[in-house]
Amino acid sequence: MLSPEKIEEGARYPLVIFLHGSGERGTDNESQLAHGASLFSNPVNASRYPAYVVFPQCKEKTWTGRVDESIFMPGAGLPDESRTEELVVRLVDDLIRSYPIDLDRIYIVGISMGAIATYDLVCRYPSLFAAAVPICGAVNPDRLEAAKNVSFMIFHGEEDDEIPSICSREAYRALHSAGADVDYVEFAGTDHDCWTLAFNTPALLPWLFAQTKD
């Protein structure tokens, strides 16, 4: 967990939950920092955007439990919430009780299987999150009506052969049709590892920390 450098009396700070991809699974409490941690811990960014940023680690095969193509298809039933996702939400609740967190500025960011979980959790708990950043993820677009009051910035690589970019395109279309505040960035000629480009997008952090449920 990254905390604000200085906690001012009476102040409330944003909370960012970052969900890693499949390559960072485990129990060492270190691997999940491989991608994205330096974006927030960079001294310039940490000073400009004081926040609590938490990187939980998934020890199971996926954050969401079952993952196959059928659950992302329009008309698919709602999958059961996984035990791991329940623990993520419990973690958020514990953080809210323990730290001066701004309840109107809780954000979730995820890459790959973490982006799938980002969509899933925002659809299950839309009143909890002000903004979501799914990077090369997928979701049943029918579910996104529930998340229309959450702001989204979606990223994907055009040439992704693990999670096709059509997944993010369809998510963007569904959110846009629902009236959501949504931006979509697709990187031409880029494969699944588009998160490096996403993290180097100048607009990302200013946009993220400007989002509020108010």
Side-chain angles (χ1 to χ4, degrees), residues 6 29 46 49 55 66 69 72 115 120-121 156 169-170 189:
K6 181 181 178 182
N29 200 28
Y49 307 108
F55 281 68
R66 174 188 168 201
E69 289 184 8
F72 304 129
D120 192 64
L121 286 168
H156 218 116
R169 295 175 191 172
E170 291 301 319

Side-chain angles (χ1 to χ4, degrees), residues 62 64-68 70-71 79 82:
T62 67
T64 54
R66 174 188 168 201
V67 174
D68 58 63
S70 66
I71 68 171
S82 71

Side-chain angles (χ1 to χ4, degrees), residues 14-95:
L15 169 64
V16 181
I17 300 295
F18 189 104
L19 303 182
H20 62 76
S22 60
E24 295 77 62
R25 292 170 296 190
T27 58
D28 63 359
N29 200 28
E30 292 182 3
S31 298
Q32 77 272 28
L33 301 175
H35 306 296
S38 61
L39 173 68
F40 296 97
S41 63
N42 175 293
V44 173
N45 291 338
S47 176
R48 186 173 296 166
Y49 307 108
Y52 293 97
V53 186
V54 179
F55 281 68
Q57 187 176 31
C58 178
K59 67 178 182 178
E60 307 298 338
K61 185 176 180 181
T62 67
W63 289 103
T64 54
R66 174 188 168 201
V67 174
D68 58 63
E69 289 184 8
S70 66
I71 68 171
F72 304 129
M73 298 295 112
L78 178 67
D80 293 335
E81 184 176 14
S82 71
R83 173 63 174 162
T84 303
E85 287 181 305
E86 292 176 355
L87 289 173
V88 170
V89 175
R90 185 185 298 179
L91 171 63
V92 173
D93 290 340
D94 287 345
L95 292 166

Side-chain angles (χ1 to χ4, degrees), residues 110-160:
I111 62 174
S112 192
M113 82 166 193
I116 292 172
T118 293
Y119 280 123
D120 192 64
L121 286 168
V122 169
C123 289
R124 293 181 190 278
Y125 302 95
S127 63
L128 181 60
F129 300 103
V133 182
I135 302 172
C136 57
V139 63
N140 174 355
D142 288 348
R143 298 182 61 198
L144 292 170
E145 172 73 22
K148 65 182 180 181
N149 293 323
V150 178
S151 297
F152 283 81
M153 183 174 279
I154 301 170
F155 294 93
H156 218 116
E158 178 192 22
E159 302 296 331
D160 193 332

